[in-house]
Amino acid sequence: MKFSISVPIGAYHPFLPWCLESLAKQGDLVEICLLDASDDPRVSAVADHYKAALTYRRHGPDGGQSDAIKEGWDHSGAPFLGWLNADDILFPDTLKKVSEKLASNPALDVVYGHSTILDEQARMTGYHWAVEPPGPRLLEGGIISQPSCFFRRTSYEAAGGIDLSLHYTMDWDLFIRIYKSGAKFDFIDAPLSMVLWGDETKTASFNARRREELQRIIKKYAPEEKQSRIFRSFAIQNLLSRIRPDSLQDAITRLLTRGRKVVYGLAADGTIADRADLSLVHYDPEPKVKILVAFNDGAQLADIEIPGRTFTQETSGNIATLTMDAPVSAADAVSVRVSAKAGKPLRFRYCQWA
């Protein structure tokens, strides 16, 4: 079982080495197709480093992101497909987990899972809150995190392929069409990828072209009586991401998501009511021994574990520094378990390698 993964690149991003390393670490399950329209020598240098792992490589202009994704798939032959942007990163053994799920039920066409969210400093700030198991709610919103989704080539072709006219919403459109074609979906309850939500991502997330694309998809597929509400929810989500200061954003997020959107014990606004599990992995050549965990309301309120590892902890203000006895090598995932003391809810900010 193999996967053709397209990596369209419009501009260099510092996460690109981790992106390609995370794919290379998937072993012989993957065909990597790098499509570079950046004209940036840094991209070429990274591609040179991974040239032995690349099935297909192109540098030069293309017809846009969707066109590049299709080009990669057209120049590879694996029966399952997916794509990563330059700032997307897979967890180790992601494709092995997906392969095992597909092998357990040969009728499956699409398998996806959770994603962790990174900021520009590669800090884990939460999970992709909209993700949920498959069902008709896909017609109303993006319940699939695209970098954590993999699908059968024949199902993709039967649904009509990727829409080359779409630049921002080609994933949602494609998944809806595959779903409506009668394909079988399943869900892995584990983080399969890391996704950047940086300032540039938020700025682009509701520009005029994306608004037009969203309206087109909503009008075509969503229940008529829900269309206005669905579009409004996208607008509110984007507006919320821009609110400053962060304390005001957090307060509004708590109001809008109260009692909902909790993934592995972590709420959308960072609240840990009881216990939360935070997933980390790195792809640097140098091993790591320290992890920082930051809170809004005092690290002394947290009990922290790293299952399977021994560590010492130092707490200063709102940051806990965890120093492990044994180094963590590249592609060695770690879970940080945080529990709130004495029933007092915590407010998580980020977790990062140091």
Side-chain angles (χ1 to χ4, degrees):
M1 192 174 294
K2 277 199 171 186
F3 300 79
S4 293
I5 306 297
S6 290
V7 184
I9 302 171
Y12 177 79
H13 193 278
F15 288 2
L16 178 61
W18 276 28
C19 171
L20 294 182
E21 182 69 15
S22 76
L23 284 167
K25 290 292 187 182
Q26 306 296 318
D28 60 4
L29 291 171
V30 66
E31 297 176 346
I32 308 170
C33 305
L34 185 143
L35 304 312
D36 171 31
S38 71
D39 195 30
D40 190 320
R42 294 174 295 178
V43 175
S44 295
V46 174
D48 287 343
H49 181 78
Y50 288 97
K51 62 182 179 182
L54 300 179
T55 296
Y56 177 72
R57 173 180 177 180
R58 186 263 299 152
H59 299 275
D62 56 40
Q65 186 179 26
S66 297
D67 179 67
I69 293 166
K70 180 178 182 297
E71 179 185 349
W73 295 338
D74 287 348
H75 286 83
S76 57
F80 293 91
L81 308 175
W83 79 90
L84 299 181
N85 293 317
D87 50 16
D88 297 328
I89 305 157
L90 290 187
F91 271 85
D93 293 329
T94 284
L95 297 185
K96 180 182 178 182
K97 291 176 182 176
V98 175
S99 294
E100 290 171 349
K101 175 68 76 171
L102 291 165
S104 72
N105 184 353
L108 288 176
D109 299 289
V110 181
V111 173
Y112 66 98
H114 281 291
S115 293
T116 65
I117 301 303
L118 302 181
D119 66 11
E120 294 283 5
Q121 288 74 51
R123 302 182 300 191
M124 186 271 193
T125 61
Y127 293 97
H128 193 314
W129 314 111
V131 172
E132 60 184 66
R137 270 192 29 83
L138 176 60
L139 306 181
E140 302 176 21
I143 66 169
I144 297 176
S145 178
Q146 169 263 307
S148 291
C149 184
F150 308 90
F151 41 93
R152 196 178 296 274
R153 186 186 289 267
T154 52
S155 299
Y156 158 81
E157 293 170 345
I162 197 165
D163 187 335
L164 301 184
S165 71
L166 297 174
H167 181 71
Y168 292 101
T169 59
M170 76 289 282
D171 52 344
W172 188 25
D173 172 77
L174 177 61
F175 299 152
I176 287 175
R177 286 188 284 112
I178 294 176
Y179 177 79
K180 288 180 72 66
S181 74
K184 304 299 182 184
F185 284 60
D186 205 350
F187 183 69
I188 295 176
D189 189 8
L192 302 183
S193 70
M194 296 176 275
V195 181
L196 172 67
W197 282 2
D199 290 338
E200 185 176 341
T201 306
K202 294 171 185 175
T203 300
S205 67
F206 213 62
N207 61 27
R209 181 168 178 177
R210 186 166 190 263
R211 292 196 302 272
E212 185 277 326
E213 291 184 9
L214 284 170
Q215 288 173 324
R216 190 197 321 177
I217 294 173
I218 291 168
K219 184 175 181 180
K220 186 173 183 180
Y221 297 114
E224 185 175 356
E225 69 277 8
K226 296 183 179 181
Q227 290 178 3
S228 296
R229 179 183 59 78
I230 292 169
F231 184 78
R232 190 163 56 248
S233 69
F234 279 103
I236 292 171
Q237 184 179 34
N238 178 260
L239 178 63
L240 182 62
S241 71
R242 298 165 181 263
I243 291 175
R244 295 296 181 270
D246 290 343
S247 57
L248 178 59
Q249 181 185 123
D250 290 344
I252 297 175
T253 301
R254 286 198 302 275
L255 180 65
L256 295 177
T257 63
R258 184 174 297 162
R260 301 180 294 119
K261 299 187 179 296
V262 176
V263 180
Y264 304 126
L266 186 63
D269 67 341
T271 298
I272 300 173
D274 182 19
R275 190 188 81 184
D277 291 304
L278 313 171
S279 299
L280 286 180
V281 68
H282 78 87
Y283 290 100
D284 282 342
E286 304 82 11
K288 309 290 187 183
V289 295
K290 289 187 178 183
I291 294 173
L292 305 182
V293 187
F295 303 89
N296 282 350
D297 42 11
Q300 71 275 5
L301 300 176
D303 283 323
I304 302 177
E305 305 171 67
I306 305 178
R309 292 189 175 270
T310 304
F311 66 97
T312 58
Q313 178 177 336
E314 296 180 8
T315 301
S316 177
N318 292 339
I319 297 179
T321 301
L322 317 178
T323 303
M324 288 166 284
D325 290 354
V328 179
S329 301
D332 191 358
V334 168
S335 178
V336 177
R337 183 166 295 163
V338 180
S339 301
K341 286 184 179 178
K344 296 184 67 173
L346 283 166
R347 297 291 308 291
F348 169 77
R349 288 180 58 203
Y350 62 80
C351 186
Q352 71 174 129
W353 301 101

